[in-house]
Protein backbone atom coordinates (compact mmCIF):
# COMPACT_ATOMS: atom_id res chain seq x y z
CA UNK A 1 0.00 0.00 0.00
CA UNK A 2 1.55 3.39 -0.97
CA UNK A 3 2.09 5.99 1.75
CA UNK A 4 0.18 9.26 1.43
CA UNK A 5 2.78 11.91 0.43
CA UNK A 6 3.65 14.21 3.34
CA UNK A 7 4.65 17.83 3.70
CA UNK A 8 7.95 18.30 5.45
CA UNK A 9 8.16 20.66 8.42
CA UNK A 10 6.44 20.73 11.77
CA UNK A 11 3.34 22.68 10.83
CA UNK A 12 2.05 24.41 7.66
CA UNK A 13 -0.50 26.79 9.19
CA UNK A 14 1.54 29.91 8.32
CA UNK A 15 1.94 28.77 4.72
CA UNK A 16 -1.79 28.07 4.51
CA UNK A 17 -2.68 31.52 5.87
CA UNK A 18 -0.28 33.22 3.45
CA UNK A 19 -2.10 31.73 0.45
CA UNK A 20 -5.20 29.80 1.58
CA UNK A 21 -6.72 29.49 -1.90
CA UNK A 22 -3.72 27.93 -3.64
CA UNK A 23 -2.20 26.05 -0.72
CA UNK A 24 -3.79 22.68 -1.53
CA UNK A 25 -3.55 22.72 -5.34
CA UNK A 26 0.08 23.91 -5.36
CA UNK A 27 1.20 21.23 -2.91
CA UNK A 28 -0.90 18.56 -4.55
CA UNK A 29 0.91 19.35 -7.80
CA UNK A 30 4.24 19.27 -6.01
CA UNK A 31 3.47 15.84 -4.52
CA UNK A 32 1.91 14.69 -7.83
CA UNK A 33 -1.02 13.33 -5.83
CA UNK A 34 -4.70 14.27 -5.28
CA UNK A 35 -4.12 13.69 -1.56
CA UNK A 36 -1.28 14.67 0.76
CA UNK A 37 -0.74 14.88 4.48
CA UNK A 38 0.16 18.06 6.31
CA UNK A 39 -0.24 19.63 9.76
CA UNK A 40 -2.57 22.58 10.25
CA UNK A 41 -3.05 24.16 13.67
CA UNK A 42 -0.79 21.30 14.88
CA UNK A 43 -3.35 18.74 13.69
CA UNK A 44 -2.67 15.98 11.17
CA UNK A 45 -4.73 16.93 8.11
CA UNK A 46 -5.29 15.20 4.78
CA UNK A 47 -5.75 17.65 1.92
CA UNK A 48 -7.71 16.56 -1.14
CA UNK A 49 -8.34 18.19 -4.50
CA UNK A 50 -10.30 17.43 -7.69
CA UNK A 51 -13.68 16.05 -8.71
CA UNK A 52 -13.00 12.46 -7.56
CA UNK A 53 -12.06 13.74 -4.13
CA UNK A 54 -15.19 15.95 -4.07
CA UNK A 55 -17.31 12.85 -4.75
CA UNK A 56 -15.46 10.95 -2.02
CA UNK A 57 -16.08 13.56 0.67
CA UNK A 58 -19.82 13.40 -0.10
CA UNK A 59 -19.93 9.74 0.98
CA UNK A 60 -21.68 9.77 4.39
CA UNK A 61 -20.43 6.25 5.16
CA UNK A 62 -16.86 7.54 5.07
CA UNK A 63 -17.04 11.08 6.45
CA UNK A 64 -18.80 13.01 9.20
CA UNK A 65 -19.07 16.74 9.82
CA UNK A 66 -19.46 16.67 13.60
CA UNK A 67 -16.41 18.39 15.13
CA UNK A 68 -14.85 18.86 11.69
CA UNK A 69 -14.89 22.69 11.59
CA UNK A 70 -12.27 24.43 13.74
CA UNK A 71 -13.73 25.74 17.02
CA UNK A 72 -12.80 29.32 16.08
CA UNK A 73 -15.06 29.07 13.00
CA UNK A 74 -17.89 27.55 15.04
CA UNK A 75 -17.70 30.49 17.45
CA UNK A 76 -17.85 33.06 14.64
CA UNK A 77 -18.86 31.94 11.15
CA UNK A 78 -21.25 29.03 11.74
CA UNK A 79 -22.39 29.24 15.34
CA UNK A 80 -22.79 26.09 17.44
CA UNK A 81 -25.53 23.49 16.96
CA UNK A 82 -26.37 24.48 13.36
CA UNK A 83 -26.89 22.30 10.29
CA UNK A 84 -23.18 22.41 9.31
CA UNK A 85 -22.16 20.05 12.12
CA UNK A 86 -24.97 17.49 11.74
CA UNK A 87 -24.75 14.04 10.13
CA UNK A 88 -27.12 11.37 8.81
CA UNK A 89 -30.88 11.67 9.36
CA UNK A 90 -30.53 14.64 11.71
CA UNK A 91 -28.72 16.52 8.94
CA UNK A 92 -31.22 15.53 6.26
CA UNK A 93 -34.16 16.61 8.39
CA UNK A 94 -32.65 19.99 9.31
CA UNK A 95 -31.48 20.54 5.73
CA UNK A 96 -35.06 20.11 4.53
CA UNK A 97 -35.89 23.25 6.53
CA UNK A 98 -33.42 25.28 4.43
CA UNK A 99 -34.43 23.69 1.14
CA UNK A 100 -38.08 24.38 2.02
CA UNK A 101 -37.40 28.05 2.80
CA UNK A 102 -35.22 28.61 -0.27
CA UNK A 103 -37.71 27.60 -2.97
CA UNK A 104 -37.52 29.18 -6.43
CA UNK A 105 -40.49 31.44 -5.62
CA UNK A 106 -39.00 32.62 -2.35
CA UNK A 107 -35.61 33.30 -4.00
CA UNK A 108 -37.38 35.24 -6.74
CA UNK A 109 -39.06 37.41 -4.11
CA UNK A 110 -35.70 38.06 -2.43
CA UNK A 111 -34.16 39.03 -5.77
CA UNK A 112 -37.01 41.44 -6.54
CA UNK A 113 -36.66 43.09 -3.13
CA UNK A 114 -32.94 43.55 -3.77
CA UNK A 115 -33.58 45.28 -7.08
CA UNK A 116 -35.91 47.78 -5.38
CA UNK A 117 -33.15 48.53 -2.86
CA UNK A 118 -30.46 48.99 -5.54
CA UNK A 119 -32.70 51.53 -7.26
CA UNK A 120 -33.46 53.38 -4.01
CA UNK A 121 -29.76 53.63 -3.17
CA UNK A 122 -28.80 54.73 -6.69
CA UNK A 123 -31.30 57.61 -6.52
CA UNK A 124 -29.30 59.08 -3.62
CA UNK A 125 -25.88 59.08 -5.35
CA UNK A 126 -24.86 62.57 -6.48
CA UNK A 127 -22.53 63.68 -9.33
CA UNK A 128 -18.94 63.98 -8.12
CA UNK A 129 -19.58 61.54 -5.26
CA UNK A 130 -17.65 58.28 -4.84
CA UNK A 131 -19.20 55.10 -3.47
CA UNK A 132 -17.54 51.90 -2.28
CA UNK A 133 -19.42 49.07 -3.96
CA UNK A 134 -18.67 46.32 -1.46
CA UNK A 135 -19.83 48.44 1.50
CA UNK A 136 -23.01 49.51 -0.30
CA UNK A 137 -23.80 45.96 -1.47
CA UNK A 138 -23.44 44.62 2.09
CA UNK A 139 -25.92 47.18 3.39
CA UNK A 140 -28.40 46.64 0.55
CA UNK A 141 -28.32 42.89 1.10
CA UNK A 142 -28.69 43.27 4.86
CA UNK A 143 -31.84 45.38 4.43
CA UNK A 144 -33.15 43.06 1.72
CA UNK A 145 -32.65 39.80 3.58
CA UNK A 146 -34.15 41.18 6.80
CA UNK A 147 -37.25 42.33 4.96
CA UNK A 148 -37.54 38.97 3.18
CA UNK A 149 -36.93 36.91 6.31
CA UNK A 150 -39.52 38.81 8.35
CA UNK A 151 -36.89 40.08 10.82
CA UNK A 152 -37.68 43.77 11.21
CA UNK A 153 -34.69 46.10 11.19
CA UNK A 154 -34.99 49.62 12.63
CA UNK A 155 -33.30 52.30 10.52
CA UNK A 156 -30.93 53.14 13.38
CA UNK A 157 -29.74 49.49 13.50
CA UNK A 158 -28.98 49.02 9.79
CA UNK A 159 -25.29 49.91 10.00
CA UNK A 160 -24.64 47.94 13.16
CA UNK A 161 -26.38 44.76 11.94
CA UNK A 162 -24.69 45.03 8.55
CA UNK A 163 -21.32 45.27 10.24
CA UNK A 164 -22.12 42.47 12.66
CA UNK A 165 -23.40 40.05 9.99
CA UNK A 166 -20.39 40.84 7.81
CA UNK A 167 -17.97 40.44 10.75
CA UNK A 168 -19.07 36.79 11.05
CA UNK A 169 -17.61 35.90 7.66
CA UNK A 170 -15.02 38.68 7.25
CA UNK A 171 -13.19 37.97 10.50
CA UNK A 172 -13.96 34.28 10.97
CA UNK A 173 -10.43 33.18 10.12
CA UNK A 174 -8.75 36.21 11.72
CA UNK A 175 -6.52 36.06 14.74
CA UNK A 176 -6.50 38.53 17.65
CA UNK A 177 -8.81 41.54 17.96
CA UNK A 178 -10.85 40.90 14.82
CA UNK A 179 -11.63 37.36 15.93
CA UNK A 180 -12.97 38.72 19.22
CA UNK A 181 -15.00 41.34 17.35
CA UNK A 182 -16.60 38.54 15.34
CA UNK A 183 -17.40 36.61 18.54
CA UNK A 184 -19.01 39.68 20.09
CA UNK A 185 -20.99 40.25 16.87
CA UNK A 186 -22.27 36.67 17.05
CA UNK A 187 -23.37 37.07 20.66
CA UNK A 188 -25.29 40.27 19.81
CA UNK A 189 -26.89 38.72 16.74
CA UNK A 190 -27.89 35.49 18.48
CA UNK A 191 -29.52 37.50 21.27
CA UNK A 192 -31.40 39.62 18.70
CA UNK A 193 -32.50 36.52 16.76
CA UNK A 194 -33.71 34.80 19.95
CA UNK A 195 -35.74 37.89 20.87
CA UNK A 196 -37.47 37.66 17.48
CA UNK A 197 -38.04 33.90 17.54
CA UNK A 198 -39.59 33.68 21.02
CA UNK A 199 -42.64 35.89 20.36
CA UNK A 200 -43.00 34.39 16.87
CA UNK A 201 -43.45 30.97 18.49
CA UNK A 202 -46.16 32.29 20.74
CA UNK A 203 -48.10 33.80 17.81
CA UNK A 204 -50.14 31.94 15.19
CA UNK A 205 -48.24 31.49 11.88
CA UNK A 206 -49.34 33.79 9.05
CA UNK A 207 -50.44 32.20 5.72
CA UNK A 208 -47.25 33.54 4.02
CA UNK A 209 -44.95 31.74 6.53
CA UNK A 210 -41.92 34.03 6.55
CA UNK A 211 -38.49 32.37 6.91
CA UNK A 212 -38.48 33.59 10.55
CA UNK A 213 -41.79 31.78 11.15
CA UNK A 214 -40.57 28.63 9.39
CA UNK A 215 -37.57 28.44 11.68
CA UNK A 216 -39.55 29.36 14.79
CA UNK A 217 -42.12 26.60 14.13
CA UNK A 218 -39.76 23.96 12.71
CA UNK A 219 -39.97 20.60 14.51
CA UNK A 220 -37.04 18.17 14.69
CA UNK A 221 -37.26 14.42 14.03
CA UNK A 222 -38.72 13.90 17.49
CA UNK A 223 -41.40 16.51 16.80
CA UNK A 224 -39.75 19.04 19.13
CA UNK A 225 -39.04 22.70 18.30
CA UNK A 226 -35.38 23.68 18.15
CA UNK A 227 -34.02 25.14 21.37
CA UNK A 228 -33.91 28.92 21.18
CA UNK A 229 -30.15 29.09 20.69
CA UNK A 230 -30.11 26.59 17.81
CA UNK A 231 -33.07 28.32 16.15
CA UNK A 232 -31.13 31.63 16.37
CA UNK A 233 -28.08 29.99 14.80
CA UNK A 234 -30.22 28.71 11.91
CA UNK A 235 -31.86 32.10 11.38
CA UNK A 236 -28.40 33.63 11.13
CA UNK A 237 -27.54 30.83 8.67
CA UNK A 238 -29.96 32.60 6.29
CA UNK A 239 -29.04 36.22 7.05
CA UNK A 240 -25.21 36.06 7.24
CA UNK A 241 -24.49 34.28 3.94
CA UNK A 242 -26.98 36.44 2.07
CA UNK A 243 -25.01 39.51 3.14
CA UNK A 244 -21.85 37.65 2.06
CA UNK A 245 -23.10 37.55 -1.54
CA UNK A 246 -21.81 41.17 -1.59
CA UNK A 247 -18.31 39.66 -2.01
CA UNK A 248 -19.32 37.95 -5.26
CA UNK A 249 -21.13 41.11 -6.41
CA UNK A 250 -17.91 43.07 -5.92
CA UNK A 251 -16.02 40.48 -7.97
CA UNK A 252 -18.72 40.71 -10.65
CA UNK A 253 -18.06 44.47 -10.88
CA UNK A 254 -14.32 43.79 -11.07
CA UNK A 255 -14.88 41.29 -13.90
CA UNK A 256 -16.98 43.83 -15.83
CA UNK A 257 -14.21 46.38 -15.40
CA UNK A 258 -11.48 43.99 -16.54
CA UNK A 259 -13.43 42.42 -19.41
CA UNK A 260 -15.28 45.12 -21.39
CA UNK A 261 -16.50 42.39 -23.78
CA UNK A 262 -18.52 40.90 -20.91
CA UNK A 263 -20.03 44.30 -20.18
CA UNK A 264 -21.16 44.60 -23.82
CA UNK A 265 -22.67 41.11 -23.76
CA UNK A 266 -24.56 41.85 -20.57
CA UNK A 267 -25.83 45.13 -22.03
CA UNK A 268 -27.20 43.27 -25.07
CA UNK A 269 -29.98 41.91 -22.85
CA UNK A 270 -29.14 38.24 -23.41
CA UNK A 271 -30.43 36.52 -20.25
CA UNK A 272 -28.52 33.30 -20.86
CA UNK A 273 -25.33 35.36 -20.88
CA UNK A 274 -26.21 36.81 -17.46
CA UNK A 275 -26.37 33.23 -16.12
CA UNK A 276 -23.04 32.30 -17.75
CA UNK A 277 -21.35 35.44 -16.43
CA UNK A 278 -22.54 34.92 -12.86
CA UNK A 279 -21.48 31.24 -12.88
CA UNK A 280 -18.03 32.19 -14.17
CA UNK A 281 -17.65 34.80 -11.42
CA UNK A 282 -18.46 32.08 -8.85
CA UNK A 283 -15.98 29.68 -10.46
CA UNK A 284 -13.17 32.09 -11.14
CA UNK A 285 -12.96 34.30 -8.05
CA UNK A 286 -12.07 33.08 -4.56
CA UNK A 287 -14.47 32.83 -1.63
CA UNK A 288 -14.10 29.82 0.70
CA UNK A 289 -10.85 27.97 0.00
CA UNK A 290 -11.92 24.58 1.37
CA UNK A 291 -14.43 22.59 3.42
CA UNK A 292 -13.59 20.20 6.25
CA UNK A 293 -14.79 16.75 7.33
CA UNK A 294 -13.58 13.86 9.53
CA UNK A 295 -13.03 10.24 8.57
CA UNK A 296 -15.89 8.13 10.04
CA UNK A 297 -14.14 4.72 9.92
CA UNK A 298 -10.81 3.48 8.46
CA UNK A 299 -11.00 2.94 4.69
CA UNK A 300 -8.85 2.75 1.54
CA UNK A 301 -9.13 5.19 -1.37
CA UNK A 302 -6.98 4.92 -4.49
CA UNK A 303 -4.80 2.57 -2.46
CA UNK A 304 -4.26 5.14 0.32
CA UNK A 305 -5.27 4.47 3.93
CA UNK A 306 -7.56 7.02 5.60
CA UNK A 307 -7.60 6.58 9.40
CA UNK A 308 -10.69 7.08 11.60
CA UNK A 309 -11.14 10.64 12.97
CA UNK A 310 -8.50 12.18 10.67
CA UNK A 311 -9.32 15.73 9.61
CA UNK A 312 -9.75 16.18 5.86
CA UNK A 313 -9.87 19.37 3.78
CA UNK A 314 -11.40 19.43 0.30
CA UNK A 315 -10.01 22.11 -2.01
CA UNK A 316 -12.90 24.21 -3.43
CA UNK A 317 -10.93 26.96 -5.15
CA UNK A 318 -8.37 24.56 -6.65
CA UNK A 319 -11.06 22.20 -7.96
CA UNK A 320 -12.79 25.14 -9.66
CA UNK A 321 -9.43 25.88 -11.32
CA UNK A 322 -8.36 22.31 -12.03
CA UNK A 323 -7.00 22.20 -15.58
CA UNK A 324 -8.07 18.53 -15.89
CA UNK A 325 -11.69 19.65 -15.46
CA UNK A 326 -11.69 23.13 -17.01
CA UNK A 327 -10.25 24.25 -20.34
CA UNK A 328 -8.15 27.40 -19.89
CA UNK A 329 -8.98 27.14 -16.21
CA UNK A 330 -7.23 30.37 -15.27
CA UNK A 331 -8.98 32.48 -17.93
CA UNK A 332 -12.25 34.30 -17.24
CA UNK A 333 -14.62 32.88 -19.89
CA UNK A 334 -18.37 33.02 -19.18
CA UNK A 335 -19.00 31.22 -22.52
CA UNK A 336 -17.82 27.96 -20.94
CA UNK A 337 -21.20 27.78 -19.19
CA UNK A 338 -23.21 28.37 -22.38
CA UNK A 339 -24.32 24.82 -22.94
CA UNK A 340 -22.65 23.01 -20.11
CA UNK A 341 -24.16 22.39 -16.71
CA UNK A 342 -21.04 21.13 -14.94
CA UNK A 343 -21.19 18.16 -12.62
CA UNK A 344 -21.96 18.51 -8.93
CA UNK A 345 -18.34 17.59 -8.18
CA UNK A 346 -16.44 19.86 -10.65
CA UNK A 347 -18.13 23.21 -10.04
CA UNK A 348 -18.02 23.60 -6.28
CA UNK A 349 -17.77 27.25 -5.19
CA UNK A 350 -20.41 26.48 -2.55
CA UNK A 351 -19.47 22.89 -1.79
CA UNK A 352 -19.89 19.56 -3.65
CA UNK A 353 -22.71 17.05 -4.12
CA UNK A 354 -26.48 17.17 -3.86
CA UNK A 355 -27.67 19.98 -1.58
CA UNK A 356 -30.62 17.90 -0.30
CA UNK A 357 -28.40 15.06 0.85
CA UNK A 358 -24.88 16.45 1.27
CA UNK A 359 -23.66 19.63 2.94
CA UNK A 360 -23.61 21.53 -0.36
CA UNK A 361 -24.87 25.06 0.17
CA UNK A 362 -28.66 25.46 -0.06
CA UNK A 363 -28.16 29.12 -1.00
CA UNK A 364 -26.71 28.77 -4.50
CA UNK A 365 -29.99 29.91 -6.03
CA UNK A 366 -29.91 32.96 -3.76
CA UNK A 367 -26.32 33.80 -4.72
CA UNK A 368 -27.05 33.43 -8.44
CA UNK A 369 -30.28 35.47 -8.24
CA UNK A 370 -28.79 38.34 -6.21
CA UNK A 371 -25.67 38.44 -8.37
CA UNK A 372 -27.79 38.45 -11.54
CA UNK A 373 -29.83 41.41 -10.28
CA UNK A 374 -26.65 43.31 -9.40
CA UNK A 375 -24.86 42.43 -12.68
CA UNK A 376 -27.86 43.54 -14.78
CA UNK A 377 -28.15 46.72 -12.74
CA UNK A 378 -24.46 47.60 -13.02
CA UNK A 379 -24.34 46.86 -16.75
CA UNK A 380 -27.70 48.13 -17.94
CA UNK A 381 -28.99 50.76 -15.51
CA UNK A 382 -25.91 52.62 -14.30
CA UNK A 383 -23.22 54.82 -15.78
CA UNK A 384 -20.10 55.23 -13.66
CA UNK A 385 -16.38 55.91 -13.65
CA UNK A 386 -13.74 53.74 -12.00
CA UNK A 387 -11.12 56.04 -10.48
CA UNK A 388 -7.49 55.00 -10.00
CA UNK A 389 -7.37 52.57 -7.05
CA UNK A 390 -5.74 49.34 -5.88
CA UNK A 391 -7.87 46.57 -7.34
CA UNK A 392 -5.40 43.80 -6.55
CA UNK A 393 -6.96 40.83 -4.77
CA UNK A 394 -6.14 40.21 -1.11
CA UNK A 395 -5.16 36.56 -1.57
CA UNK A 396 -4.07 36.24 2.04
CA UNK A 397 -7.53 37.15 3.41
CA UNK A 398 -10.63 34.97 3.72
CA UNK A 399 -12.75 36.02 1.97
CA UNK A 400 -10.44 37.68 -0.53
CA UNK A 401 -11.63 40.98 -2.03
CA UNK A 402 -10.31 43.71 -4.32
CA UNK A 403 -8.11 45.71 -1.92
CA UNK A 404 -10.02 49.00 -2.50
CA UNK A 405 -13.43 47.25 -2.17
CA UNK A 406 -14.20 48.71 -5.63
CA UNK A 407 -14.69 52.46 -5.63
CA UNK A 408 -17.06 53.95 -8.25
CA UNK A 409 -17.42 57.66 -9.04
CA UNK A 410 -20.11 59.81 -10.66
CA UNK A 411 -22.61 56.98 -10.53
CA UNK A 412 -25.80 57.85 -12.37
CA UNK A 413 -28.91 55.80 -12.86
CA UNK A 414 -29.96 55.77 -16.52
CA UNK A 415 -32.95 53.41 -16.72
C1 LIG B 1 -21.60 34.15 -0.98
C2 LIG B 1 -22.19 33.13 -1.38
C3 LIG B 1 -22.06 31.80 -0.67
C4 LIG B 1 -20.95 31.00 -0.59
C5 LIG B 1 -19.58 31.23 -1.19
C6 LIG B 1 -21.35 29.85 0.19
C7 LIG B 1 -20.53 28.77 0.43
C8 LIG B 1 -20.91 27.68 1.17
C9 LIG B 1 -20.07 26.53 1.42
C10 LIG B 1 -18.65 26.35 0.89
C11 LIG B 1 -20.77 25.69 2.21
C12 LIG B 1 -20.26 24.37 2.79
C13 LIG B 1 -20.50 23.23 1.84
C14 LIG B 1 -19.97 21.94 2.38
O1 LIG B 1 -19.65 21.84 3.56
O2 LIG B 1 -19.86 20.97 1.60
C15 LIG B 1 -22.03 26.30 2.49
C16 LIG B 1 -23.00 25.75 3.30
C17 LIG B 1 -24.14 26.41 3.67
N1 LIG B 1 -24.61 27.59 3.16
FE1 LIG B 1 -23.72 28.73 1.78
N2 LIG B 1 -22.65 29.99 0.58
C18 LIG B 1 -23.12 31.17 0.08
C19 LIG B 1 -24.39 31.67 0.21
C20 LIG B 1 -25.38 31.14 1.01
C21 LIG B 1 -26.70 31.66 1.15
C22 LIG B 1 -27.22 32.87 0.37
C23 LIG B 1 -27.34 30.90 2.09
C24 LIG B 1 -28.73 31.00 2.62
C25 LIG B 1 -29.58 31.95 2.32
C26 LIG B 1 -26.40 29.89 2.52
C27 LIG B 1 -26.64 28.96 3.52
C28 LIG B 1 -25.80 27.90 3.78
C29 LIG B 1 -26.11 26.86 4.77
C30 LIG B 1 -27.32 26.81 5.69
C31 LIG B 1 -25.06 25.93 4.68
C32 LIG B 1 -24.91 24.64 5.50
C33 LIG B 1 -25.39 23.46 4.64
C34 LIG B 1 -25.21 22.12 5.28
O3 LIG B 1 -24.37 21.99 6.18
O4 LIG B 1 -25.89 21.17 4.85
N3 LIG B 1 -25.23 30.06 1.85
N4 LIG B 1 -22.11 27.50 1.82
Amino acid sequence: MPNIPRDTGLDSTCAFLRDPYRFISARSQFHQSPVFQTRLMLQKTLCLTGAKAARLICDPDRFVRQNAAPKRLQKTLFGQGGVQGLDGDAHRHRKALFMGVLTAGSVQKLAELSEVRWREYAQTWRPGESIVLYDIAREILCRTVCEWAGTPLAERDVQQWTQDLAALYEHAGAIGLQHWQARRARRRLEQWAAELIEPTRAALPTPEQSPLERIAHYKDQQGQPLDLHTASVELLNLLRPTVAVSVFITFAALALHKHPGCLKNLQSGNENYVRCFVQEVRRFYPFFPAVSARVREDFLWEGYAFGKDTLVLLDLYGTNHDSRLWEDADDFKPERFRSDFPSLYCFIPQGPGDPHVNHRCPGEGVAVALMSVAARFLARSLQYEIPEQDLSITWDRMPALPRSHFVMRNVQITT
Side-chain angles (χ1 to χ4, degrees):
M1 186 191 316
N3 285 328
I4 293 181
R6 278 179 195 211
D7 273 355
T8 51
L10 266 185
D11 189 88
S12 301
T13 309
C14 289
F16 178 83
L17 291 177
R18 267 198 306 276
D19 193 0
Y21 296 99
R22 292 169 292 206
F23 175 87
I24 298 181
S25 54
R27 286 175 187 229
S28 158
Q29 262 175 28
F30 172 80
H31 291 298
Q32 304 255 304
S33 164
V35 51
F36 65 91
Q37 182 178 320
T38 190
R39 281 180 88 77
L40 294 174
M41 314 276 281
L42 299 174
Q43 222 183 130
K44 173 179 157 182
T45 307
L46 297 179
C47 296
L48 291 157
T49 191
K52 262 188 169 176
R55 190 180 287 274
L56 173 73
I57 210 171
C58 287
D59 182 347
D61 293 335
R62 288 175 160 178
F63 292 96
V64 292
R65 296 302 183 101
Q66 194 184 10
N67 292 327
K71 273 274 176 297
R72 50 191 305 105
L73 292 192
Q74 292 179 34
K75 303 245 174 188
T76 52
L77 184 65
F78 303 134
Q80 290 175 299
V83 63
Q84 289 93 342
L86 299 180
D87 292 298
D89 287 344
H91 173 254
R92 228 181 251 235
H93 197 275
R94 186 84 62 84
K95 193 66 178 282
L97 165 66
F98 287 93
M99 302 310 287
V101 169
L102 298 169
T103 57
S106 168
V107 170
Q108 169 76 14
K109 185 175 162 206
L110 179 66
E112 285 166 7
L113 290 173
S114 83
E115 188 176 348
V116 173
R117 290 291 179 192
W118 279 105
R119 291 190 175 276
E120 271 172 19
Y121 268 64
Q123 301 289 354
T124 68
W125 298 330
R126 298 284 158 251
E129 196 186 337
S130 292
I131 62 152
V132 180
L133 181 67
Y134 173 61
D135 299 356
I136 296 279
R138 280 185 348 177
E139 204 173 288
I140 288 178
L141 295 186
C142 178
R143 285 179 190 271
T144 305
V145 73
C146 286
E147 187 180 349
W148 168 84
T151 54
L153 190 58
E155 193 55 39
R156 63 175 183 281
D157 293 333
V158 170
Q159 274 194 357
Q160 179 71 55
W161 284 161
T162 303
Q163 268 171 31
D164 278 357
L165 285 165
L168 301 182
Y169 65 84
E170 286 176 353
H171 304 325
I175 321 170
L177 184 65
Q178 288 190 322
H179 175 74
W180 290 98
Q181 280 170 350
R183 280 190 179 211
R184 270 201 301 279
R186 176 159 283 283
R187 276 200 295 277
R188 272 196 295 270
L189 288 163
E190 284 181 359
Q191 164 92 29
W192 170 68
E195 283 167 10
L196 290 170
I197 291 165
E198 213 168 15
T200 308
R201 279 194 172 153
L204 282 175
T206 62
E208 298 83 51
Q209 287 263 316
S210 67
L212 167 65
E213 289 176 299
R214 296 273 204 132
I215 290 174
H217 296 290
Y218 165 84
K219 302 269 190 314
D220 69 14
Q221 285 162 292
Q222 286 73 41
Q224 295 303 311
L226 295 173
D227 66 77
L228 204 50
H229 174 258
T230 306
S232 308
V233 167
E234 299 301 28
L235 181 57
L236 295 178
N237 262 335
L238 291 175
L239 306 186
R240 176 202 71 249
T242 304
V243 173
V245 176
S246 52
V247 172
F248 273 153
I249 289 176
T250 307
F251 280 128
L254 180 67
L256 290 179
H257 176 57
K258 291 198 150 187
H259 307 279
C262 294
L263 182 63
K264 280 217 175 73
N265 283 331
L266 279 182
Q267 284 166 340
S268 74
N270 178 343
E271 280 307 301
N272 192 36
Y273 190 81
V274 177
R275 182 187 64 79
C276 298
F277 173 77
V278 161
Q279 298 297 59
E280 182 67 343
V281 171
R282 295 199 306 136
R283 183 196 73 85
F284 185 81
Y285 288 103
F287 200 119
F288 288 116
V291 291
S292 57
R294 274 189 196 276
V295 177
R296 183 189 281 278
E297 297 291 345
D298 294 356
F299 69 87
L300 286 180
W301 180 69
E302 309 264 300
Y304 293 125
F306 283 60
K308 182 174 159 69
D309 287 338
T310 309
L311 182 66
V312 169
L313 284 188
L314 171 73
D315 182 17
L316 300 183
Y317 179 81
T319 304
N320 285 335
H321 285 255
D322 186 334
S323 56
R324 292 164 303 181
L325 307 173
W326 304 94
E327 209 180 306
D328 302 327
D330 291 326
D331 293 345
F332 186 84
K333 285 187 170 176
E335 303 75 29
R336 71 174 80 247
F337 286 99
R338 200 173 276 154
S339 52
D340 247 19
F341 287 86
S343 98
L344 296 174
Y345 306 100
C346 297
F347 180 49
I348 55 171
Q350 294 177 225
D354 173 351
H356 291 271
V357 181
N358 303 119
H359 283 267
R360 189 182 186 112
C361 179
E364 286 192 285
V366 172
V368 168
L370 293 174
M371 290 169 71
S372 301
V373 166
R376 279 190 213 103
F377 191 61
L378 286 168
R380 299 179 190 163
S381 300
L382 292 184
Q383 268 180 1
Y384 51 87
E385 294 159 17
I386 308 298
E388 204 53 40
Q389 61 193 289
D390 186 354
L391 288 170
S392 62
I393 294 176
T394 53
W395 287 104
D396 57 348
R397 300 282 313 266
M398 289 177 281
L401 271 165
R403 208 168 293 274
S404 62
H405 290 186
F406 206 83
V407 180
M408 299 158 73
R409 197 169 52 203
N410 281 330
V411 190
Q412 282 179 352
I413 185 158
T414 52
T415 56

